Amino acid sequence: MLPQPGNERSAAALRLVAAADAYAQNLELLVAGGYDPELYALLSRQFQQVLVCAHALPEVSLAWIAVLVSRAELTQCLWRLSRSSGPAPELAERYATHKAALAKMKKSAENSAGA
């Protein structure tokens, strides 16, 4: 991949931060309100946009991997919850881990924009 000039890198970083913020807002609704197939479909599309934006910034690849893994763990937890009526004590932990991974990725993107 060819190096991106400063303005393009900054624009890509801003797009990644905006996409991650939109995803995070709707994710909060899903976690708070329980499994909603329509909201989950929207989140899947939004996460795809985060992926596209992250791929434009190789500097965030390590942080992106943490986001991807934490999302898989959170999704598995939400799926289990949708299939049972019992509590899922690990949901709060999985959600917190995913939010932290998103924040770290956003910070990496912001740092690359300033570089």
Side-chain angles (χ1 to χ4, degrees), residues 22-44:
Y23 166 78
Q25 287 175 351
N26 285 318
L27 181 61
E28 185 175 348
L29 294 174
L30 182 75
V31 170
Y35 183 72
D36 174 347
E38 290 178 20
L39 184 55
Y40 187 79
L42 172 62
L43 279 165
S44 293

Side-chain angles (χ1 to χ4, degrees), residues 30-111:
L30 182 75
V31 170
Y35 183 72
D36 174 347
E38 290 178 20
L39 184 55
Y40 187 79
L42 172 62
L43 279 165
S44 293
R45 290 189 302 273
Q46 288 178 319
F47 194 76
Q48 182 66 28
Q49 185 61 39
V50 172
L51 171 123
V52 168
C53 293
H55 281 195
L57 292 168
E59 307 90 318
V60 304
S61 58
L62 285 177
W64 166 249
I65 291 169
V67 168
L68 193 58
V69 169
S70 65
R71 181 177 187 263
E73 291 172 346
L74 178 62
T75 299
Q76 183 180 29
C77 183
L78 287 167
W79 183 82
R80 279 194 314 268
L81 267 176
S82 74
R83 301 284 183 228
S84 71
S85 59
E90 73 274 13
L91 178 60
E93 179 184 343
R94 298 283 187 250
Y95 180 51
T97 299
H98 189 53
K99 279 178 46 174
L102 281 168
K104 187 172 182 178
M105 182 186 65
K106 285 172 43 181
K107 185 70 173 168
S108 292
E110 291 164 351
N111 288 343

